[in-house]
Amino acid sequence: MIFHVKEVHRRISSVWEMSDKCKPDMSCVPYRRKGLYVIVTAPLSLILVVVFVYLWTYSFVLSFIFALLYLFMCYFQAYCCVHQDCPYVGEFCPAVMGIVPGNIMAKYIYTDKNPVKSRKKFELHAALAIIAWLGIMVFPLFWIAKLGITYSVGYVACHVVYYVIFGLTICPVCAIRNTCPGGKFQALVLKKG
């Protein structure tokens, strides 16, 4: 099914509006699927480490850029954690892509400063975190393709499969599934939202 840009924008806007009205589900604190989270996230984390090391064989700069994309994703997620009143800040966090440093950054960057919450800033930070994630998927493809196109396709497929499995197993019992952009996107795709 092909969507028009206006329709996609309308749906995304409705997701953000619903997110503003929802509160965390405290019955999901502490997170109860820690073992499953590790089983789902560890393989992708290992792949990211392998790609980091592989890029290093070409240039330290490539690995540095790859690591920066991950850190940027964590940094931008930190504000999203605070904006959503995430109850996992400072505790075990079932963060997508293993971006647990975002949770730690949120605790130290924002908690003591009582930040002003802005929907526009939240949207910007969420978009930048997603762009950084896309960067993690796309940036190394040129160098991975030197191993063979199958490796590049496999790398992207690992991200897609990870997100689908994560969305179906981890998100349903996450306290912020109704406010998190990923959780809302999953609900929108599954037409639950």
Side-chain angles (χ1 to χ4, degrees), residues 44-61:
L44 184 65
S45 298
L46 180 61
I47 290 168
L48 295 178
V49 169
V50 168
V51 169
F52 175 85
V53 171
Y54 175 70
L55 290 174
W56 192 297
T57 66
Y58 283 95
S59 168
F60 162 75
V61 174

Side-chain angles (χ1 to χ4, degrees), residues 18-176:
M18 289 186 296
S19 294
D20 288 344
K21 298 173 186 171
C22 297
K23 296 292 178 202
D25 179 357
M26 297 307 286
S27 69
C28 295
V29 179
Y31 190 77
R32 59 185 181 260
R33 293 186 179 171
K34 293 176 186 172
L36 181 60
Y37 173 80
V38 170
I39 290 169
V40 169
T41 304
L44 184 65
S45 298
L46 180 61
I47 290 168
L48 295 178
V49 169
V50 168
V51 169
F52 175 85
V53 171
Y54 175 70
L55 290 174
W56 192 297
T57 66
Y58 283 95
S59 168
F60 162 75
V61 174
L62 296 175
S63 291
F64 182 73
I65 292 168
F66 190 69
L68 274 181
L69 287 168
Y70 176 80
L71 291 174
F72 286 158
M73 189 171 55
C74 293
Y75 174 78
F76 293 122
Q77 179 60 37
Y79 179 79
C80 296
C81 295
V82 171
H83 183 273
Q84 298 171 102
D85 296 319
C86 179
Y88 301 122
V89 171
E91 298 179 13
F92 176 84
C93 173
V96 70
M97 292 270 303
I99 56 171
V100 176
N103 174 17
I104 296 165
M105 289 177 186
K107 180 179 179 182
Y108 291 105
I109 294 172
Y110 297 108
T111 303
D112 294 337
K113 298 179 182 175
N114 199 11
V116 175
K117 295 180 182 179
S118 159
R119 180 176 174 202
K120 284 193 180 285
K121 187 174 180 181
F122 172 73
E123 289 175 2
L124 175 65
H125 279 243
L128 291 172
I130 291 168
I131 289 169
W133 179 34
L134 293 174
I136 287 170
M137 277 198 303
V138 174
F139 174 72
L141 289 179
F142 173 79
W143 294 276
I144 295 172
K146 291 183 179 208
L147 295 170
I149 195 71
T150 305
Y151 288 98
S152 291
V153 171
Y155 177 71
V156 172
C158 285
H159 280 273
V160 172
V161 168
Y162 166 80
Y163 184 74
V164 169
I165 292 171
F166 188 92
L168 294 174
T169 61
I170 305 302
C171 290
V173 293
C174 177
I176 61 166

